[in-house]
Amino acid sequence: MQILISAGEASGEMYGAQLIEALRRASQLPTLRVGDGSETRPHMDLSFFGAGGDRMRAAGCEIIVDAKDLAVVGITEILSHLPKIYGLFRKLIRTADEKKPALAIVIDSPAFNWRVARQMRKRGIPVVYYVCPQFWAWRQGRVKLLRKYINQALVIFPFEENFYRVHGVNATFVGHPLVDLPTPEISRMHYAAQQALDHVKPWITLMPGSRRKEVRMNLPTILEAAGKLGQDYEFLLPVARTLEPSFLKELIGNRDIHLVPEAMPALYHSRAGIIASGTATVEAAIMGTPFVMVYRVSPLTYMLGKPRVKVPHYAMVNLIAGEEVVPELVQHEFTAGNVVAELRKIIPDGDPRTGMLQGLESVKAKLKKPDQNGGNASERAAEVIVGMLRPAIAEPSLSQGPELWG
């Protein structure tokens, strides 16, 4: 049984890999227990193809479109990449026409994925949106696209379920997939030796984003702030899978910045972070790392986008908490001086650091969904998807009939 799965950036690609693994496990379970009885679950032999990267490839997905080629950001930036993105989109749809998937799963990246969803629905293919677009933050009118083109929304923030249901979308909160990741096992001493770090100095993790344009906008000011903090600190920059180390080295120049392969160990062992708005802020919260949120886009993108913002905070952790847990330095407020001033409040022990740590712990708790069976977000999402696939096994013509693919 073929499954199309489309993820367009680093975080979505990681969620896609986790979901593929959870789907393989769920599809092989012999029974599904309901109350006091049980229902026989037919074995499913699942194959995956779509848009993603190395993690999804390692999980067994045939990558038709590489997520690196979709990693653009901002209204004006997307316009210049439209011909290339459209070509990749057509390539994915042509492959879907050949493979005739029983179900399509799209993850985040709405500019690309809602078009994928639309084409799949035109062909009679059920569509699941995992990690839904943040239409509640801006462009709320676009919720009608989800209502029209998807069968099931699987949301990862607790307030999203009610928002989407109120707007007529079949939504289920499954929890955030990052919350259930284990704490990094590597000790600080071993990590320091592995990455050639001074274990005596405090460490600061720098996360400028996962897309080239995003990094170009954010990293220079982050590096300037690191320079102002000086040689009393070690600076770690995790390399997102959608970026090449050579690209980052070119921007860093001769500055003493350590490129590291994974974000979680860097955050876990760091005293603080300078984190671009996005999934990385949730990663920092889950690792319990105090940080300053920063972000910058082109002036035109900011001018066009700001009036459409419908929420009181930019940082996801602040939205979840319902208050400002971490400082937000956006656009003209994002200066090296402001970053350093905020960091100096939370690096030393004291009330500001303690208050932020408590706030981050509260956010982490809200991102969990209690599950009596001990399942995590990916497993809950997989259970919903497997339930949608059962009719396709019973009536394969519904998903592969030529009348839907002519």
Side-chain angles (χ1 to χ4, degrees):
M1 181 180 291
Q2 294 282 350
I3 307 294
L4 184 154
I5 183 164
S6 176
E9 51 191 281
S11 58
E13 199 261 332
M14 175 173 60
Y15 303 152
Q18 293 173 343
L19 182 59
I20 288 170
E21 292 166 357
L23 281 166
R24 292 197 191 282
R25 292 191 299 269
S27 67
Q28 294 171 3
L29 295 176
T31 60
L32 173 66
R33 302 203 173 277
V34 181
D36 295 329
S38 65
E39 173 189 338
T40 300
R41 187 207 305 263
H43 175 78
M44 300 179 189
D45 184 12
L46 304 180
S47 296
F48 300 89
F49 72 95
D54 291 341
R55 283 174 169 165
M56 283 173 53
R57 186 179 286 111
C61 182
E62 179 187 355
I63 300 301
I64 308 300
V65 172
D66 196 305
K68 290 180 181 179
D69 295 328
L70 301 175
V72 295
V73 61
I75 298 169
T76 57
E77 292 82 356
I78 287 174
L79 292 176
S80 64
H81 287 78
L82 276 179
K84 177 183 177 181
I85 293 173
Y86 184 72
L88 296 171
F89 166 73
R90 294 308 308 165
K91 180 181 179 182
L92 182 61
I93 300 305
R94 284 196 303 270
T95 304
D97 285 340
E98 295 168 3
K99 292 182 177 291
K100 300 176 173 55
L103 182 137
I105 304 166
V106 294
I107 303 174
D108 207 357
S109 302
F112 184 81
N113 275 332
W114 80 259
R115 291 171 172 83
V116 174
R118 179 175 64 179
Q119 291 300 320
M120 293 303 99
R121 282 302 298 272
K122 283 184 176 180
R123 289 156 170 78
I125 304 305
V127 179
V128 174
Y129 214 129
Y130 184 39
V131 189
C132 283
Q134 296 173 5
F135 289 150
W136 39 265
W138 71 311
R139 306 183 81 177
Q140 293 188 1
R142 289 222 159 189
V143 175
K144 64 184 179 184
L145 297 175
L146 295 188
R147 191 166 58 240
K148 185 174 182 180
Y149 297 126
I150 73 163
N151 300 78
Q152 174 71 57
L154 300 175
V155 300
I156 63 173
F157 298 112
F159 56 83
E160 290 182 313
E161 184 176 69
N162 181 64
F163 171 82
Y164 281 113
R165 286 186 175 181
V166 165
H167 286 81
V169 177
N170 182 25
T172 302
F173 172 55
V174 295
H176 200 291
L178 291 178
V179 172
D180 299 299
L181 291 179
T183 300
E185 293 182 357
I186 189 168
S187 70
R188 194 174 191 275
M189 289 293 290
H190 286 158
Y191 189 74
Q194 185 185 84
Q195 303 298 333
L197 298 164
D198 185 341
H199 72 276
V200 176
K201 292 181 179 180
W203 300 351
I204 308 292
T205 292
L206 315 177
M207 298 185 72
S210 62
R211 294 166 284 192
R212 291 173 69 95
K213 180 70 175 182
E214 195 175 37
V215 173
R216 287 189 187 278
M217 298 297 290
N218 294 324
L219 186 55
T221 305
I222 291 176
L223 293 175
E224 186 184 348
K228 287 180 177 292
L229 285 168
Q231 297 181 354
D232 292 336
Y233 301 91
E234 290 276 47
F235 299 99
L236 290 65
L237 199 165
V239 181
R241 290 175 182 258
T242 47
L243 299 172
E244 297 293 338
S246 59
F247 165 71
L248 293 169
K249 289 177 181 177
E250 181 184 341
L251 294 175
I252 291 169
N254 60 2
R255 297 177 181 87
D256 191 14
I257 306 293
H258 298 266
L259 298 183
V260 297
E262 298 289 343
M264 292 304 199
L267 287 167
Y268 184 66
H269 292 299
S270 286
R271 184 67 177 177
I274 307 173
I275 314 291
S277 178
T279 302
T281 65
V282 178
E283 292 177 330
I286 289 168
M287 290 296 101
T289 307
F291 67 95
V292 178
M293 189 224 86
V294 300
Y295 208 70
R296 180 180 289 119
V297 293
S298 71
L300 180 57
T301 294
Y302 185 74
M303 181 184 71
L304 294 174
K306 191 175 187 301
R308 302 186 181 191
V309 175
K310 307 295 183 183
V311 291
H313 303 289
Y314 289 99
M316 181 56 69
V317 294
N318 292 342
L319 287 171
I320 295 166
E323 60 180 341
E324 186 172 291
V325 173
V326 301
E328 302 177 346
L329 301 178
V330 178
Q331 213 63 9
H332 63 278
E333 294 183 351
F334 175 23
T335 67
N338 285 345
V339 172
V340 171
E342 294 294 344
L343 281 175
R344 293 203 186 282
K345 297 176 186 177
I346 60 174
I347 289 175
D349 290 329
D351 290 342
R353 181 178 179 85
T354 299
M356 186 178 292
L357 287 170
Q358 291 172 344
L360 295 179
E361 185 61 32
S362 174
V363 168
K364 182 177 179 179
K366 290 180 179 180
L367 288 173
K368 290 185 177 181
K369 179 174 181 177
D371 190 329
Q372 294 179 347
N373 298 321
N376 59 37
S378 299
E379 289 166 344
R380 284 188 286 271
E383 192 59 58
V384 174
I385 293 168
V386 166
M388 296 175 66
L389 287 171
R390 288 190 201 113
I393 293 178
E395 301 180 64
S397 62
L398 290 180
S399 62
Q400 299 188 10
E403 70 279 2
L404 298 179
W405 288 91

PDB file of all heavy atoms in Angstrom, residues 89-109:
ATOM      1  N   PHE A  89       6.823  20.527  -7.543  1.00  0.00           N
ATOM      2  CA  PHE A  89       5.431  20.144  -7.249  1.00  0.00           C
ATOM      3  C   PHE A  89       4.883  19.220  -8.344  1.00  0.00           C
ATOM      4  O   PHE A  89       4.302  18.175  -8.054  1.00  0.00           O
ATOM      5  CB  PHE A  89       4.592  21.415  -7.126  1.00  0.00           C
ATOM      6  CG  PHE A  89       3.113  21.197  -7.149  1.00  0.00           C
ATOM      7  CD1 PHE A  89       2.459  20.640  -6.060  1.00  0.00           C
ATOM      8  CD2 PHE A  89       2.355  21.551  -8.257  1.00  0.00           C
ATOM      9  CE1 PHE A  89       1.086  20.448  -6.071  1.00  0.00           C
ATOM     10  CE2 PHE A  89       0.992  21.361  -8.285  1.00  0.00           C
ATOM     11  CZ  PHE A  89       0.354  20.802  -7.194  1.00  0.00           C
ATOM     12  N   ARG A  90       5.078  19.594  -9.612  1.00  0.00           N
ATOM     13  CA  ARG A  90       4.582  18.769 -10.715  1.00  0.00           C
ATOM     14  C   ARG A  90       5.262  17.404 -10.720  1.00  0.00           C
ATOM     15  O   ARG A  90       4.632  16.386 -11.021  1.00  0.00           O
ATOM     16  CB  ARG A  90       4.824  19.472 -12.063  1.00  0.00           C
ATOM     17  CG  ARG A  90       4.032  20.750 -12.275  1.00  0.00           C
ATOM     18  CD  ARG A  90       2.549  20.566 -12.031  1.00  0.00           C
ATOM     19  NE  ARG A  90       1.998  19.439 -12.782  1.00  0.00           N
ATOM     20  CZ  ARG A  90       0.824  18.887 -12.553  1.00  0.00           C
ATOM     21  NH1 ARG A  90       0.059  19.342 -11.562  1.00  0.00           N
ATOM     22  NH2 ARG A  90       0.389  17.890 -13.276  1.00  0.00           N
ATOM     23  N   LYS A  91       6.541  17.355 -10.366  1.00  0.00           N
ATOM     24  CA  LYS A  91       7.261  16.081 -10.304  1.00  0.00           C
ATOM     25  C   LYS A  91       6.643  15.161  -9.253  1.00  0.00           C
ATOM     26  O   LYS A  91       6.452  13.963  -9.490  1.00  0.00           O
ATOM     27  CB  LYS A  91       8.732  16.345  -9.966  1.00  0.00           C
ATOM     28  CG  LYS A  91       9.586  15.091  -9.882  1.00  0.00           C
ATOM     29  CD  LYS A  91      11.027  15.453  -9.507  1.00  0.00           C
ATOM     30  CE  LYS A  91      11.889  14.208  -9.401  1.00  0.00           C
ATOM     31  NZ  LYS A  91      13.290  14.554  -8.991  1.00  0.00           N
ATOM     32  N   LEU A  92       6.298  15.724  -8.102  1.00  0.00           N
ATOM     33  CA  LEU A  92       5.682  14.929  -7.047  1.00  0.00           C
ATOM     34  C   LEU A  92       4.302  14.430  -7.464  1.00  0.00           C
ATOM     35  O   LEU A  92       3.950  13.263  -7.224  1.00  0.00           O
ATOM     36  CB  LEU A  92       5.581  15.761  -5.760  1.00  0.00           C
ATOM     37  CG  LEU A  92       4.995  15.056  -4.539  1.00  0.00           C
ATOM     38  CD1 LEU A  92       5.843  13.846  -4.153  1.00  0.00           C
ATOM     39  CD2 LEU A  92       4.891  16.018  -3.364  1.00  0.00           C
ATOM     40  N   ILE A  93       3.521  15.293  -8.102  1.00  0.00           N
ATOM     41  CA  ILE A  93       2.180  14.891  -8.525  1.00  0.00           C
ATOM     42  C   ILE A  93       2.243  13.825  -9.617  1.00  0.00           C
ATOM     43  O   ILE A  93       1.458  12.870  -9.614  1.00  0.00           O
ATOM     44  CB  ILE A  93       1.376  16.122  -9.003  1.00  0.00           C
ATOM     45  CG1 ILE A  93       1.240  17.149  -7.868  1.00  0.00           C
ATOM     46  CG2 ILE A  93      -0.009  15.700  -9.499  1.00  0.00           C
ATOM     47  CD1 ILE A  93       0.653  16.611  -6.585  1.00  0.00           C
ATOM     48  N   ARG A  94       3.194  13.950 -10.534  1.00  0.00           N
ATOM     49  CA  ARG A  94       3.349  12.918 -11.564  1.00  0.00           C
ATOM     50  C   ARG A  94       3.677  11.564 -10.942  1.00  0.00           C
ATOM     51  O   ARG A  94       3.152  10.526 -11.355  1.00  0.00           O
ATOM     52  CB  ARG A  94       4.457  13.312 -12.557  1.00  0.00           C
ATOM     53  CG  ARG A  94       4.064  14.380 -13.562  1.00  0.00           C
ATOM     54  CD  ARG A  94       5.042  14.430 -14.734  1.00  0.00           C
ATOM     55  NE  ARG A  94       6.411  14.665 -14.287  1.00  0.00           N
ATOM     56  CZ  ARG A  94       6.953  15.874 -14.144  1.00  0.00           C
ATOM     57  NH1 ARG A  94       6.227  16.965 -14.391  1.00  0.00           N
ATOM     58  NH2 ARG A  94       8.208  16.015 -13.754  1.00  0.00           N
ATOM     59  N   THR A  95       4.524  11.567  -9.949  1.00  0.00           N
ATOM     60  CA  THR A  95       4.865  10.317  -9.259  1.00  0.00           C
ATOM     61  C   THR A  95       3.655   9.742  -8.550  1.00  0.00           C
ATOM     62  O   THR A  95       3.435   8.525  -8.551  1.00  0.00           O
ATOM     63  CB  THR A  95       6.005  10.559  -8.253  1.00  0.00           C
ATOM     64  OG1 THR A  95       7.123  11.125  -8.930  1.00  0.00           O
ATOM     65  CG2 THR A  95       6.427   9.260  -7.587  1.00  0.00           C
ATOM     66  N   ALA A  96       2.856  10.623  -7.941  1.00  0.00           N
ATOM     67  CA  ALA A  96       1.630  10.159  -7.294  1.00  0.00           C
ATOM     68  C   ALA A  96       0.681   9.539  -8.318  1.00  0.00           C
ATOM     69  O   ALA A  96       0.023   8.526  -8.043  1.00  0.00           O
ATOM     70  CB  ALA A  96       0.949  11.311  -6.563  1.00  0.00           C
ATOM     71  N   ASP A  97       0.608  10.117  -9.494  1.00  0.00           N
ATOM     72  CA  ASP A  97      -0.252   9.556 -10.541  1.00  0.00           C
ATOM     73  C   ASP A  97       0.214   8.161 -10.951  1.00  0.00           C
ATOM     74  O   ASP A  97      -0.593   7.308 -11.334  1.00  0.00           O
ATOM     75  CB  ASP A  97      -0.259  10.481 -11.763  1.00  0.00           C
ATOM     76  CG  ASP A  97      -1.107  11.729 -11.544  1.00  0.00           C
ATOM     77  OD1 ASP A  97      -1.964  11.708 -10.638  1.00  0.00           O
ATOM     78  OD2 ASP A  97      -0.910  12.712 -12.265  1.00  0.00           O
ATOM     79  N   GLU A  98       1.512   7.920 -10.865  1.00  0.00           N
ATOM     80  CA  GLU A  98       2.043   6.596 -11.204  1.00  0.00           C
ATOM     81  C   GLU A  98       1.824   5.596 -10.073  1.00  0.00           C
ATOM     82  O   GLU A  98       1.454   4.450 -10.314  1.00  0.00           O
ATOM     83  CB  GLU A  98       3.545   6.716 -11.499  1.00  0.00           C
ATOM     84  CG  GLU A  98       3.881   7.532 -12.726  1.00  0.00           C
ATOM     85  CD  GLU A  98       5.367   7.857 -12.819  1.00  0.00           C
ATOM     86  OE1 GLU A  98       6.135   7.381 -11.941  1.00  0.00           O
ATOM     87  OE2 GLU A  98       5.767   8.583 -13.751  1.00  0.00           O
ATOM     88  N   LYS A  99       2.028   6.029  -8.842  1.00  0.00           N
ATOM     89  CA  LYS A  99       1.987   5.112  -7.700  1.00  0.00           C
ATOM     90  C   LYS A  99       0.592   4.949  -7.108  1.00  0.00           C
ATOM     91  O   LYS A  99       0.328   3.984  -6.409  1.00  0.00           O
ATOM     92  CB  LYS A  99       2.960   5.591  -6.611  1.00  0.00           C
ATOM     93  CG  LYS A  99       4.420   5.482  -7.025  1.00  0.00           C
ATOM     94  CD  LYS A  99       5.326   5.929  -5.892  1.00  0.00           C
ATOM     95  CE  LYS A  99       6.800   5.767  -6.245  1.00  0.00           C
ATOM     96  NZ  LYS A  99       7.209   4.349  -6.332  1.00  0.00           N
ATOM     97  N   LYS A 100      -0.295   5.903  -7.359  1.00  0.00           N
ATOM     98  CA  LYS A 100      -1.681   5.824  -6.880  1.00  0.00           C
ATOM     99  C   LYS A 100      -1.756   5.506  -5.378  1.00  0.00           C
ATOM    100  O   LYS A 100      -2.178   4.443  -4.960  1.00  0.00           O
ATOM    101  CB  LYS A 100      -2.457   4.767  -7.680  1.00  0.00           C
ATOM    102  CG  LYS A 100      -2.511   5.084  -9.171  1.00  0.00           C
ATOM    103  CD  LYS A 100      -3.205   3.974  -9.940  1.00  0.00           C
ATOM    104  CE  LYS A 100      -3.429   4.349 -11.389  1.00  0.00           C
ATOM    105  NZ  LYS A 100      -2.212   4.756 -12.101  1.00  0.00           N
ATOM    106  N   PRO A 101      -1.366   6.445  -4.530  1.00  0.00           N
ATOM    107  CA  PRO A 101      -1.358   6.186  -3.085  1.00  0.00           C
ATOM    108  C   PRO A 101      -2.754   5.989  -2.510  1.00  0.00           C
ATOM    109  O   PRO A 101      -3.739   6.534  -3.021  1.00  0.00           O
ATOM    110  CB  PRO A 101      -0.720   7.458  -2.511  1.00  0.00           C
ATOM    111  CG  PRO A 101      -1.012   8.516  -3.521  1.00  0.00           C
ATOM    112  CD  PRO A 101      -0.946   7.816  -4.854  1.00  0.00           C
ATOM    113  N   ALA A 102      -2.819   5.211  -1.447  1.00  0.00           N
ATOM    114  CA  ALA A 102      -4.087   4.999  -0.749  1.00  0.00           C
ATOM    115  C   ALA A 102      -4.438   6.192   0.128  1.00  0.00           C
ATOM    116  O   ALA A 102      -5.610   6.420   0.445  1.00  0.00           O
ATOM    117  CB  ALA A 102      -4.002   3.737   0.110  1.00  0.00           C
ATOM    118  N   LEU A 103      -3.394   6.971   0.519  1.00  0.00           N
ATOM    119  CA  LEU A 103      -3.614   8.103   1.423  1.00  0.00           C
ATOM    120  C   LEU A 103      -2.432   9.048   1.288  1.00  0.00           C
ATOM    121  O   LEU A 103      -1.313   8.622   0.982  1.00  0.00           O
ATOM    122  CB  LEU A 103      -3.748   7.609   2.868  1.00  0.00           C
ATOM    123  CG  LEU A 103      -4.033   8.640   3.959  1.00  0.00           C
ATOM    124  CD1 LEU A 103      -5.088   8.111   4.936  1.00  0.00           C
ATOM    125  CD2 LEU A 103      -2.747   8.958   4.735  1.00  0.00           C
ATOM    126  N   ALA A 104      -2.677  10.334   1.495  1.00  0.00           N
ATOM    127  CA  ALA A 104      -1.613  11.341   1.459  1.00  0.00           C
ATOM    128  C   ALA A 104      -1.501  12.008   2.821  1.00  0.00           C
ATOM    129  O   ALA A 104      -2.514  12.338   3.449  1.00  0.00           O
ATOM    130  CB  ALA A 104      -1.891  12.385   0.382  1.00  0.00           C
ATOM    131  N   ILE A 105      -0.269  12.197   3.279  1.00  0.00           N
ATOM    132  CA  ILE A 105       0.010  12.898   4.533  1.00  0.00           C
ATOM    133  C   ILE A 105       0.879  14.101   4.204  1.00  0.00           C
ATOM    134  O   ILE A 105       1.962  13.940   3.625  1.00  0.00           O
ATOM    135  CB  ILE A 105       0.754  11.991   5.529  1.00  0.00           C
ATOM    136  CG1 ILE A 105      -0.029  10.705   5.794  1.00  0.00           C
ATOM    137  CG2 ILE A 105       1.028  12.739   6.832  1.00  0.00           C
ATOM    138  CD1 ILE A 105       0.796   9.625   6.482  1.00  0.00           C
ATOM    139  N   VAL A 106       0.408  15.292   4.524  1.00  0.00           N
ATOM    140  CA  VAL A 106       1.209  16.491   4.316  1.00  0.00           C
ATOM    141  C   VAL A 106       1.561  17.081   5.679  1.00  0.00           C
ATOM    142  O   VAL A 106       0.751  17.063   6.613  1.00  0.00           O
ATOM    143  CB  VAL A 106       0.487  17.524   3.429  1.00  0.00           C
ATOM    144  CG1 VAL A 106       0.328  16.984   2.016  1.00  0.00           C
ATOM    145  CG2 VAL A 106      -0.871  17.909   3.991  1.00  0.00           C
ATOM    146  N   ILE A 107       2.803  17.572   5.794  1.00  0.00           N
ATOM    147  CA  ILE A 107       3.333  18.025   7.078  1.00  0.00           C
ATOM    148  C   ILE A 107       3.840  19.455   6.947  1.00  0.00           C
ATOM    149  O   ILE A 107       4.773  19.726   6.186  1.00  0.00           O
ATOM    150  CB  ILE A 107       4.476  17.107   7.560  1.00  0.00           C
ATOM    151  CG1 ILE A 107       4.000  15.653   7.661  1.00  0.00           C
ATOM    152  CG2 ILE A 107       5.022  17.583   8.899  1.00  0.00           C
ATOM    153  CD1 ILE A 107       5.100  14.663   7.987  1.00  0.00           C
ATOM    154  N   ASP A 108       3.176  20.385   7.662  1.00  0.00           N
ATOM    155  CA  ASP A 108       3.602  21.782   7.705  1.00  0.00           C
ATOM    156  C   ASP A 108       3.731  22.349   6.282  1.00  0.00           C
ATOM    157  O   ASP A 108       2.979  21.978   5.399  1.00  0.00           O
ATOM    158  CB  ASP A 108       4.907  21.888   8.495  1.00  0.00           C
ATOM    159  CG  ASP A 108       5.079  23.268   9.140  1.00  0.00           C
ATOM    160  OD1 ASP A 108       4.244  24.158   8.933  1.00  0.00           O
ATOM    161  OD2 ASP A 108       6.067  23.445   9.873  1.00  0.00           O
ATOM    162  N   SER A 109       4.628  23.310   6.054  1.00  0.00           N
ATOM    163  CA  SER A 109       4.927  23.891   4.734  1.00  0.00           C
ATOM    164  C   SER A 109       3.673  24.156   3.906  1.00  0.00           C
ATOM    165  O   SER A 109       3.500  23.595   2.818  1.00  0.00           O
ATOM    166  CB  SER A 109       5.869  22.960   3.958  1.00  0.00           C
ATOM    167  OG  SER A 109       7.047  22.743   4.682  1.00  0.00           O
TER     168      SER A 109
END
